[in-house]
């Protein structure tokens, strides 16, 4: 069965430090992959997506993610974290054709220290 | 600004009462979804609709119903609310079944 795992429930980094949020997936074919960010009291906002082609994808707010098929991973990175990046981050796999059932990880909550 | 509007923003509801959560989109997306978000469980799909006039069950459909009379509206109804339905509910839409989801700001529902 398809699944998405975000192994880190909470991550704390200092402002200006680099960031990597982990995401592993289980999927039978080439997946459509997404990262979303959720600020308190808000809905989820798309950061970036991978459909095909270049395995390093750039997103909004200075984020990037790398698709590694051999590791079934799609980790999110940012070279220098800003205090405003404190939020919850969700990795998701796009729906199997025709099912419309996206699969979300349980999220990683990021805290940024001043 | 184009997007998804959800109403109400929050609601406290007595158990056994009926409640409809409203969702409207203005992006002319084909597909719409209802998720519930609970601490530690992430987002779970309740129901979805891939086009006006059709609906489908998600991961946790029991106790909920939906309708899709037109492209823009996708209301979620709790026929007889129970405390386990206390959650934050998000409506979302997408152009196709694999394109990015667009989310509303959610409805926080408390069933007492």
């Amino acid at each position: 069965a398809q699944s998405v795992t975000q192994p880190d429930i909470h991550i704390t980094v200092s402002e200006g430090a680099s960031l990597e949020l982990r995401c592993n997936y289980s999927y039978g074919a080439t997946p459509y992959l997404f990262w979303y960010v959720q600020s308190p009291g808000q809905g989820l906002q798309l950061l970036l997506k991978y459909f095909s082609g270049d395995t390093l994808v750039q997103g909004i707010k200075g984020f990037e993610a790398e698709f590694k098929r051999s590791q079934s991973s799609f980790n999110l990175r940012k070279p220098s974290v800003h205090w405003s990046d404190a939020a919850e981050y969700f990795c998701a796999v796009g729906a199997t054709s025709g099912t419309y059932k996206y699969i979300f990880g349980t999220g990683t909550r990021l805290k940024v220290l001043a | 600004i184009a997007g998804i509007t959800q109403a109400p923003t929050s609601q406290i509801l007595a158990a056994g009462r009926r409640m409809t959560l409203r969702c409207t989109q203005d992006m002319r997306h084909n597909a719409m979804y209802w998720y519930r978000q609970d601490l530690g469980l992430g987002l779970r799909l309740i129901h979805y609709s891939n086009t006006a006039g059709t609906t489908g069950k998600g991961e946790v459909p029991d106790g909920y119903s939906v309708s899709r009379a037109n492209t823009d509206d996708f209301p979620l109804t709790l026929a007889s609310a129970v405390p386990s339905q206390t959650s934050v509910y998000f409506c979302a839409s997408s152009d196709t079944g694999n394109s990015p989801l667009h989310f509303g700001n959610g409805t926080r529902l408390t069933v007492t």
Side-chain angles (χ1 to χ4, degrees), chain A:
Chain A
Q2 291 85 11
S3 66
V4 175
T5 301
Q6 293 180 247
D8 304 305
I9 298 174
H10 298 280
I11 283 186
T12 300
V13 300
S14 297
E15 190 171 20
S18 63
L19 172 69
E20 182 170 32
L21 302 183
R22 296 184 290 165
C23 173
N24 293 97
Y25 65 89
S26 173
Y27 196 80
T30 300
Y32 290 67
L33 294 162
F34 308 89
W35 274 100
Y36 292 87
V37 60
Q38 184 181 30
S39 298
Q42 302 293 314
L44 281 71
Q45 179 187 17
L46 180 71
L47 279 176
L48 48 79
K49 61 184 185 288
Y50 171 78
F51 286 174
S52 65
D54 194 346
T55 56
L56 183 65
V57 294
Q58 303 297 320
I60 63 171
K61 305 185 181 188
F63 285 91
E64 66 179 26
E66 186 171 12
F67 171 60
K68 293 186 177 180
R69 184 189 302 275
S70 62
Q71 298 177 19
S72 297
S73 69
F74 188 56
N75 294 348
L76 182 72
R77 302 194 294 247
K78 187 169 185 178
S80 177
V81 170
H82 188 263
W83 64 266
S84 60
D85 293 324
E88 189 153 21
Y89 292 80
F90 292 91
C91 181
V93 171
T96 304
S97 179
T99 69
Y100 290 82
K101 294 178 181 178
Y102 297 73
I103 300 168
F104 284 84
T106 52
T108 297
R109 185 170 296 277
L110 174 65
K111 182 177 179 179
V112 180
L113 301 176

Side-chain angles (χ1 to χ4, degrees), chain B residues 18-68:
Chain B
R18 179 184 180 90
M19 174 76 188
T20 295
L21 307 185
R22 300 185 297 279
C23 174
T24 300
Q25 57 120 346
D26 61 5
M27 296 171 284
R28 308 301 293 173
H29 283 168
N30 290 312
M32 297 187 75
Y33 313 78
W34 275 104
Y35 290 89
R36 59 176 291 173
Q37 185 177 32
D38 302 287
L39 193 64
L41 298 177
L43 286 110
R44 294 182 291 170
L45 181 65
I46 304 171
H47 285 288
Y48 68 95
S49 167
N50 59 359
T51 190
T54 66
T55 62
K57 293 182 179 180
E59 183 182 357
V60 289
D62 294 342
Y64 305 95
S65 63
V66 292
S67 62
R68 187 90 182 276

